[in-house]
Amino acid sequence: MQSDIIKQARIEIQRKSALNAEKKKRKDKIVRLFFFFITCICSLIIVIVAGFIIIKGLTPFFKIYTENGHTGSMSFSYFFTGLQFNHGYDQETGTFMYGVGFLVVNTLYINLISYIISIPTSILTSLFIARIAPKPLKKIISTGVDLLASIPSVIFGMFGLGVIVPLVRSIGRAMGLAGTSGISLLAGAIILALMSMPTMISVMVTSLNAIDESQIKASLALGASKTQTNFKIALKNAKSGIFAGIILGIGRALGEATAVTMVTGSPIYGITANPFDPTVTLTTQMLLAIGEATPNSLNYDARFSAGLVLLVIIILINFLLNNIKDIVCSIDRKPSKAIIFLKQLFTNFRNPCYDLKKLK
Amino acid sequence: MKKTLRFVPLFACLTLLASCGGESTNTSNTGASSSQDTTVDFDTTQEITPLTRDTNSGTREAFFGHIDLEDAASDDSLLTTSASVVASNGDMISNLATDEYAIGYFSFDSITSATDEGVKVVSFEGVTPSEDTIVSGEYSLTRHFNYIVRNDFGGDSVKETIVDAFVAYMGTAEGLNIIQTNGGVVDPETINNAPTWAEISANYPGISDDHSDVTINFGGSTSVEEIARQLSASFSTLAGNFIAHHDHTGSGAAYSGTQGDDAGTLDIGFLSREFNDSEVPAENTSGVICTDAVIIGVNEANPLTNITADQCHNIYALDGTIDTWDDILG
């Protein structure tokens, strides 16, 4: 009798717990679906943005515009080879000539100069913060760097106009370039470097802080000096973090528009080679008086095409950098065959005694 | 001892940084002061940097229209390759103030802020720009500010009355005064002869009824924005407190918003240029608000005082013959 009651109670408990479990499962499912939904929205944004830019960016090549008494769409060849953004109408081919190719070159050039400034500075600064600076100083400097990262680009632009431009101008004048006004490629590159450095530094410092302390100690114990240890052990171990910092910084610099626009001027023609001359980049051209442009006019739509080009460049550079990162820090991920081959080539370069037969 | 020693380089660095900062502000100061006292520093062998507005600007259209470069208004390929684009009137002025070897043009209403910043106003064809010379027509580098209203209000007679009355208000003494104080150039004679609002308000029956639920959309040129805002603000109190909504994006929107492709988005549009061939307003829906002048400016270190249309043409045109300041100042 009693055992029956116990049995029933047990069954009851089992039933309840099964029910409970089911309830929990259902709840889990709902939560999971909810999270999935949120993730979908987030990842859809990139698809929507890319799709929008691709569609808007390709439109000018196919749509027929009527402007200033001419009819036609945008010239495909001039778009990539042109040396002027708005080059008017070509009677022969019946197309409007808007050029973006020279903007790409200018953009890459100004960024290259800014990396020459920012990458070594960032690496050395982060090494100082992570390994050399005494603790109180370390705190002050890292707070400063974090604050620097949160300064909006317009402020950097104002700073550039007030300080960097006159500085570049006096440097230029001192070098005998009497015509330089300071509004120049170099000023833009300096501003870009200042803007991308905080991002680079904070990522690099994090990775340098994460190094296994025992390796440092081992190095010191083997008789290496502190400097040797910092460069050969610390930096080498933090390679992947340093690359991540560089990639993030480059992303920030490539996409920057406001601050650059304020200090580089915007010449209407051609590629700028002299760092003391004004230059015009993709982002600057897109932003330039967009408020004045009539929506759906070619002048307006061509900016979307420039945006598409910028997007492609950023994706390409990111892809390239990630691959370089894989070559340099192959421990992090299993590299593809091409990368192994490149790496072998790379080591081959460094080691003249390398025997080619070994490669086979 | 060692610990304190460690801070020595730090202090050295800090002082270095501080001195750098001091130095850079110094240079900017000396830059400004040296440009003030000197025609000596001005190197006439330097190339001219012609500054221009972008292809959507009404100021650009007016300027190139007067120097025989009409087609360059919307086409950069006709301009000299050494030209640089600036985004706005304000940008133009700050660039002229920074670059000794630049030349550029801006709207008459910015003339005071320009001279304050260190831009020198240059005479055009021997005439110094001023309200008098502009009104008398001696200073020829001028353009009109125009307006255009909807030709079809879709039967909304209240809106139509307010818009009609607003157009009339722009021609009254009160309206013209507002236009003048906000940078438009109006002949003083016209203001004296203009009727007051009290005299003509009877032509618009019911205009002073409560209109606080009516929204009138203003838009078009950014150059005319200040004038338009002041006009609508003062007229709203006379016309039953209608709501004035301003959205100024550029002269191009004036026609398209009132009678063109986007007809109906604007009730009144303003242009800082003349209507072009593709913008033909319906009868009695458009007119001139006032005159504005385009001012040619250079850096105050520049000894240039006068320039001719022909010289401007040769500075800006792709096949122009003037490259360095020597070619003008010679």
Side-chain angles (χ1 to χ4, degrees):
Chain A
M1 191 66 182
Q2 217 164 22
S3 69
D4 256 14
I5 293 172
I6 292 170
K7 226 183 207 172
Q8 256 181 356
R10 201 174 283 158
I11 289 168
E12 182 68 7
I13 289 170
Q14 273 175 356
R15 202 177 61 84
K16 267 192 178 165
S17 67
L19 214 74
N20 245 342
E22 201 140 290
K23 243 187 194 169
K24 274 186 185 163
K25 255 187 193 168
R26 220 179 301 140
K27 255 189 201 165
D28 250 18
K29 212 175 179 184
I30 291 172
V31 171
R32 227 182 308 149
L33 269 175
F34 180 69
F35 282 1
F36 177 68
F37 178 67
I38 299 272
T39 316
C40 274
I41 292 178
C42 285
S43 33
L44 258 182
I45 290 175
I46 176 76
V47 177
I48 292 171
V49 169
F52 172 77
I53 291 289
I54 290 171
I55 292 169
K56 279 292 266 183
L58 291 178
T59 309
F61 294 112
F62 304 109
K63 192 173 151 186
I64 306 291
Y65 294 84
T66 305
E67 269 165 33
N68 312 312
H70 299 302
T71 345
S73 48
M74 193 159 74
S75 162
F76 197 74
S77 57
Y78 193 83
F79 185 75
F80 292 106
T81 58
L83 287 174
Q84 193 162 37
F85 182 67
N86 176 359
H87 197 65
Y89 183 76
D90 184 20
Q91 299 282 0
E92 273 174 36
T93 56
T95 49
F96 289 101
M97 302 206 280
Y98 276 80
V100 160
F102 77 108
L103 295 172
V104 175
V105 179
N106 279 342
T107 308
L108 294 179
Y109 186 43
I110 192 173
N111 273 282
L112 194 71
I113 293 188
S114 96
Y115 304 148
I116 291 175
I117 303 169
S118 64
I119 292 176
T121 322
S122 301
I123 291 178
L124 295 180
T125 310
S126 48
L127 198 60
F128 179 76
I129 295 176
R131 301 232 54 90
I132 300 168
K135 260 201 176 153
L137 188 62
K138 187 172 171 171
K139 252 189 190 163
I140 295 171
I141 298 182
S142 7
T143 319
V145 168
D146 288 346
L147 277 178
L148 202 62
S150 61
I151 291 179
S153 51
V154 185
I155 303 292
F156 271 110
M158 302 303 282
F159 171 74
L161 271 183
V163 178
I164 306 286
V165 166
L167 196 71
V168 169
R169 169 197 169 108
S170 36
I171 294 172
R173 298 264 159 112
M175 285 170 61
L177 298 160
T180 182
S181 66
I183 293 180
S184 60
L185 194 156
L186 184 60
I190 293 174
I191 289 290
L192 279 183
L194 289 181
M195 293 187 65
S196 50
M197 263 165 13
T199 322
M200 292 189 184
I201 292 171
S202 53
V203 176
M204 289 176 187
V205 167
T206 316
S207 72
L208 278 169
N209 277 334
I211 302 168
D212 192 355
E213 198 62 29
S214 60
Q215 292 200 14
I216 305 280
K217 283 185 177 145
S219 163
L220 290 172
L222 281 170
S225 73
K226 269 192 175 172
T227 314
Q228 279 173 327
T229 310
N230 283 339
F231 278 96
K232 301 216 160 146
I233 307 298
L235 274 189
K236 226 175 192 175
N237 271 299
K239 256 188 309 193
S240 80
I242 284 169
F243 260 93
I246 290 174
I247 292 171
L248 278 177
I250 284 179
R252 169 138 204 218
L254 265 178
E256 179 49 41
T258 324
V260 182
T261 313
M262 291 169 83
V263 297
T264 56
S266 37
I268 59 167
Y269 184 85
I271 294 166
T272 306
N274 182 351
F276 288 96
D277 283 342
T279 188
V280 55
T281 66
L282 271 171
T283 46
T284 311
Q285 186 64 60
M286 284 163 70
L287 196 68
L288 190 70
I290 191 164
E292 290 277 319
T294 323
N296 297 324
S297 67
L298 182 52
N299 190 300
Y300 186 81
D301 286 354
R303 294 158 198 258
F304 286 91
S305 308
L308 180 60
V309 171
L310 181 65
L311 202 67
V312 170
I313 288 178
I314 290 185
I315 289 171
L316 274 180
I317 288 188
N318 255 313
F319 180 74
L320 201 76
L321 281 175
N322 273 315
N323 270 340
I324 295 178
K325 184 180 156 193
D326 282 346
I327 295 170
V328 182
C329 350
S330 47
I331 319 151
D332 294 333
R333 205 168 55 179
K334 198 165 179 261
S336 67
K337 270 186 185 165
I339 287 160
I340 293 175
F341 176 71
L342 276 174
K343 193 183 173 182
Q344 276 169 340
L345 267 180
F346 195 62
T347 25
N348 196 8
F349 259 131
R350 289 193 307 200
N351 182 5
C353 318
Y354 195 83
D355 189 359
L356 260 177
K357 278 175 194 165
K358 273 185 192 166
L359 195 70
K360 288 169 186 170
Chain B
M1 189 60 200
K2 259 189 178 172
K3 264 192 181 166
T4 36
L5 267 180
R6 208 189 281 170
F7 284 97
V8 172
L10 173 69
F11 275 111
C13 284
L14 279 178
T15 30
L16 202 76
L17 261 178
S19 64
C20 268
E23 206 171 67
S24 57
T25 42
N26 269 345
T27 43
S28 62
N29 281 342
T30 46
S33 62
S34 69
S35 57
Q36 257 162 21
D37 54 31
T38 63
T39 41
V40 191
D41 269 350
F42 191 80
D43 178 4
T44 53
T45 58
Q46 284 303 320
E47 278 188 20
I48 300 173
T49 315
L51 299 178
T52 177
R53 294 282 304 279
D54 57 279
T55 46
N56 305 298
S57 159
T59 320
R60 170 171 170 147
E61 190 175 316
F63 178 67
F64 286 145
H66 281 90
I67 62 165
D68 194 25
L69 265 177
E70 291 84 358
D71 292 339
S74 58
D75 183 356
D76 279 339
S77 65
L78 301 171
L79 295 184
T80 171
T81 54
S82 59
S84 268
V85 180
V86 294
S88 67
N89 235 10
D91 262 6
M92 177 67 84
I93 289 166
S94 62
N95 271 284
L96 286 172
T98 326
D99 189 349
E100 285 104 315
Y101 304 104
I103 186 167
Y105 52 87
F106 48 89
S107 174
F108 178 69
D109 59 7
S110 325
I111 202 164
T112 349
S113 68
T115 37
D116 286 350
E117 290 224 12
V119 176
K120 185 159 102 180
V121 173
V122 179
S123 300
F124 183 70
E125 300 281 3
V127 184
T128 318
S130 72
E131 231 153 88
D132 294 336
T133 52
I134 295 167
V135 167
S136 69
E138 279 173 86
Y139 187 80
S140 59
L141 204 53
T142 54
R143 58 169 164 169
H144 287 142
F145 283 166
N146 290 295
Y147 72 85
I148 177 169
V149 300
R150 269 165 81 171
N151 54 345
D152 176 18
F153 283 87
D156 192 340
S157 62
V158 181
K159 239 181 186 185
E160 194 167 358
T161 317
I162 297 178
V163 170
D164 278 352
F166 181 83
V167 169
Y169 179 72
M170 289 195 290
T172 63
E174 293 98 326
L176 289 171
N177 261 319
I178 291 171
I179 292 171
Q180 197 183 30
T181 46
N182 288 290
V185 179
V186 187
D187 190 351
E189 212 41 31
T190 321
I191 299 186
N192 286 337
N193 296 333
T196 62
W197 173 246
E199 285 166 27
I200 61 163
S201 59
N203 300 342
Y204 305 95
I207 189 72
S208 51
D209 296 352
D210 180 33
H211 292 131
S212 55
D213 57 342
V214 182
T215 303
I216 305 289
N217 293 308
F218 296 83
S221 164
T222 48
S223 309
V224 197
E225 180 165 5
E226 195 51 35
I227 291 176
R229 278 183 186 278
Q230 298 297 335
L231 280 173
S232 71
S234 76
F235 186 61
S236 176
T237 56
L238 300 171
N241 296 314
F242 66 84
I243 299 160
H245 180 252
H246 283 269
D247 181 19
H248 292 259
T249 50
S251 295
Y255 177 80
S256 69
T258 51
Q259 301 181 18
D261 296 338
D262 305 321
T265 51
L266 296 179
D267 295 309
I268 305 177
F270 298 94
L271 298 91
S272 60
R273 55 170 170 80
E274 300 303 330
F275 295 94
N276 63 31
D277 300 340
S278 62
E279 301 171 331
V280 186
E283 222 174 311
N284 290 326
T285 57
S286 65
V288 175
I289 305 169
C290 63
T291 310
D292 183 48
V294 179
I295 307 298
I296 299 173
V298 292
N299 190 277
E300 58 190 354
N302 195 320
L304 184 75
T305 52
N306 180 45
I307 198 162
T308 64
D310 190 46
Q311 283 172 332
C312 284
H313 178 93
N314 279 314
I315 290 174
Y316 279 95
L318 181 63
D319 51 0
T321 51
I322 297 178
D323 293 320
T324 68
W325 283 106
D326 261 339
D327 296 336
I328 303 186
L329 300 164

